[in-house]
Amino acid sequence: IKPSEMTPLSATLARSLLLESGLDPNLVSVVHGAGDAGAELIRHVDYIGFTGGTTTGRHVAVAASERLLPYSLELGGKNPMIVLQGASLGDAATGLLAGAFSNSGQTCISVERVYVQESIYDEFARRLVEKAANLKIGWSRAWDIDIGSMISKEHSDKVMGRVQLAVDQGARVLAGGRQRPDLGPAFMEPTVLANVSDTMPISKEETFGPVVALYPVRDAADAIARANNSDFGLNASIWAGGIQQAREVARQIETGSAAINSTLLIYNSFDVPMGGVKQSGIGRRHGEHGILRYTQTQSVVSSFSTGGGYDALMLRIKSERMAR
């Protein structure tokens, strides 16, 4: 395991728990360092399972191809959520709080785009803003805080810059939209935007922060088309009036996974594969697919031995044809 140099301790903790549970220490190693450490690892391993940004993922794929290594990539996302008439607006708004703001939005499957049917758009926005305003932001070792710090001041500034650019281009802040230096250098309020056009960078590029944009749509077909109008395709969230309609919509979304009446469920659904399409990655993890990706298939076939077996049979057929 080569964790990000920004988050080294979680991998170290995971290894200690594995060893505590009885795993052979030689079966799990943790290598710390920056990108050059990862590049060096590629020269020595038999398989690469990479999680990170799309740009770095391309470099990993090129490096793997030089050694003809198999690999899988889970990359960026611009994950859509669709809310249609008949859905429980309270439940959908609560689900979006987790889907957009967990880990301060720094999750590969975080919701960043929400397409809401026009007939329920205003009410959904009102409920979401009300719930977002009640989230507690700060630092704590307990479970009494909803939103914590972002990974660094540099990243917080980048996300805030993306929000400010959207506002300068006509977007409207419904909730949040501010950094909180009074709480720490990298804190940012959970932010809800409206009046965001599809041409704005915040509609197309991964934000990876506590920011979500709302878009009114005519109907399910409009929502599907808008959701699919993206270079990314990692995860999607569907909220509708019934399970059948939600499944029909989910099957038309160009993502590696789709959750109905949920946002982040796929991450903890360990028995089914998880991964992306388009620029969100190649390959899958979790479930049978996730385990088998670390193996190489070998086929062993057996022939009858009499008279030289299968190969002699083929020679005999060839000889008969030549004799004719």
Side-chain angles (χ1 to χ4, degrees):
I1 306 171
K2 206 298 283 184
S4 167
E5 61 272 23
M6 301 295 290
T7 56
L9 297 182
S10 56
T12 300
L13 174 61
R15 183 178 187 273
S16 67
L17 292 173
L18 288 169
L19 299 187
E20 184 180 328
S21 69
L23 188 68
D24 185 334
N26 294 317
L27 294 182
V28 55
S29 301
V30 178
V31 177
H32 293 294
D36 54 346
E40 180 63 22
L41 268 181
I42 293 176
R43 297 180 57 236
H44 301 280
V45 299
D46 299 317
Y47 186 93
I48 303 167
F50 174 78
T51 301
T54 300
T55 300
T56 305
R58 289 195 182 99
H59 293 308
V60 171
V62 170
S65 68
E66 292 178 350
R67 291 190 57 214
L68 296 181
L69 284 180
Y71 62 88
S72 61
L73 311 172
E74 187 192 304
L75 307 178
K78 193 68 182 174
N79 307 294
M81 175 173 169
I82 293 175
V83 185
L84 301 176
Q85 186 172 342
S88 168
L89 301 189
D91 291 344
T94 299
L96 181 55
L97 292 184
F101 304 137
S102 290
N103 204 37
S104 297
Q106 300 165 117
T107 305
C108 59
I109 56 175
S110 287
V111 175
E112 296 193 5
R113 302 177 288 149
V114 186
Y115 300 100
V116 187
Q117 198 162 356
E118 291 172 346
S119 58
I120 57 174
Y121 178 87
D122 290 338
E123 178 61 17
F124 177 80
R126 184 191 68 79
R127 294 190 183 212
L128 176 63
V129 169
E130 182 179 298
K131 290 177 180 291
N134 290 326
L135 293 175
K136 297 174 64 177
I137 179 172
W139 185 92
S140 174
R141 289 185 180 273
W143 297 97
D144 56 337
I145 295 295
D146 300 309
I147 305 291
S149 173
M150 300 184 71
I151 190 62
S152 67
K153 184 180 185 302
E154 291 74 18
H155 186 56
S156 177
D157 290 343
K158 179 181 177 180
V159 172
M160 189 64 228
R162 182 72 58 82
V163 171
Q164 187 59 54
L165 177 60
V167 172
D168 293 343
Q169 295 177 337
R172 184 161 57 98
V173 177
L174 301 183
R178 299 183 304 166
Q179 290 175 294
R180 293 293 301 274
D182 56 312
L183 299 175
F187 281 86
M188 182 174 177
E189 294 175 342
T191 300
V192 180
L193 300 177
N195 295 354
V196 178
S197 73
D198 291 340
T199 60
M200 293 180 184
I202 204 164
S203 289
K204 295 181 173 296
E205 302 170 9
E206 183 179 35
T207 302
F208 211 68
V211 180
V212 66
L214 305 183
Y215 307 80
V217 293
R218 295 185 305 275
D219 50 26
D222 188 21
I224 292 168
R226 298 276 293 277
N228 287 341
N229 184 25
S230 173
D231 292 332
F232 296 101
L234 187 56
N235 187 50
S237 173
I238 316 296
W239 301 73
I243 191 68
Q244 182 175 352
Q245 182 190 24
R247 286 185 178 276
E248 290 174 355
V249 171
R251 292 189 180 101
Q252 298 178 67
I253 302 297
E254 297 168 353
T255 53
S257 59
I260 295 172
N261 297 330
S262 176
T263 52
L264 307 180
L265 178 60
I266 185 61
Y267 189 76
N268 290 318
S269 301
F270 299 120
D271 55 337
V272 296
M274 172 186 172
V277 298
K278 301 180 180 179
Q279 293 189 28
S280 289
I282 298 172
R284 296 293 182 266
R285 67 185 187 189
H286 293 181
E288 181 181 4
H289 294 78
I291 297 297
L292 292 180
R293 71 176 182 164
Y294 289 99
T295 67
Q296 292 280 18
T297 300
Q298 180 192 39
S299 299
V300 178
V301 297
S302 178
S303 170
F304 56 88
S305 60
T306 304
Y310 173 82
D311 308 288
L313 179 62
M314 300 305 295
L315 289 174
R316 186 179 303 170
I317 293 173
K318 180 179 179 181
S319 299
E320 290 179 358
R321 286 180 176 173
M322 293 178 64
R324 292 177 183 175

